[in-house]
Amino acid sequence: MKRLLLDTHVLFWWLSDDAQLGKAARLAISDPRNQIYVSAVSTWEASINKLSGKLSAPDDLDAIVEEEGFSKLPITLFHGDQAGLLPLHHKDPFDRMLVAQAQSEGLVIVTNDEIVTQYNIRTMDARK
């Protein structure tokens, strides 16, 4: 069993059946033996990008995440502390939080973000 945390773009690739999501990543996400997490930071990022017109996203991501059978990962004070202590490889606060959550919770991040791979965490390439 793998415990996977979807980067925000990977969540939307999955929901839209985007061809950018690779076969191995798609199989890992669809494997019922794996536990798939979606962070509250992803819905936060999506709502900001939707408001600014950078993203077309459904209104009720909470219900969609639940329908997909994914686990919801809240942001805790500990996650906030950890994100603030990370090296400044990444300037994006949303990605920094995902990294902190992956470290804190022992999760593998499914991502296409090369900068995320510079941290001491396990990653899965979303395009493979």
Side-chain angles (χ1 to χ4, degrees), residues 58-113:
D59 288 329
D60 194 1
L61 279 176
D62 185 85
I64 292 169
V65 166
E66 198 165 300
E67 287 170 12
E68 291 291 326
F70 298 156
S71 299
K72 300 172 192 174
L73 182 61
I75 299 170
T76 67
L77 294 175
F78 182 74
H79 294 149
D81 285 340
Q82 295 301 0
L85 296 172
L86 290 172
L88 293 174
H89 303 312
H90 216 308
K91 305 292 187 235
D92 184 320
F94 301 114
D95 288 321
R96 291 176 61 80
M97 180 56 72
L98 289 173
V99 168
Q101 289 182 305
Q103 282 181 335
S104 301
E105 306 300 328
L107 305 174
V108 177
I109 295 183
V110 184
T111 187
N112 185 47
D113 188 334

Side-chain angles (χ1 to χ4, degrees), residues 8-52:
T8 305
H9 64 275
V10 174
L11 172 63
F12 285 98
W13 288 355
W14 172 262
L15 294 176
S16 66
D17 199 26
D18 193 304
Q20 292 181 83
L21 186 60
K23 183 177 180 179
R26 192 176 299 278
L27 286 172
I29 295 167
S30 65
D31 188 334
R33 296 172 295 182
N34 294 335
Q35 190 165 11
I36 310 304
Y37 290 86
V38 174
S39 172
V41 80
S42 290
T43 58
W44 178 20
E45 180 180 18
S47 66
I48 289 172
N49 286 331
K50 184 177 177 181
L51 184 65
S52 67

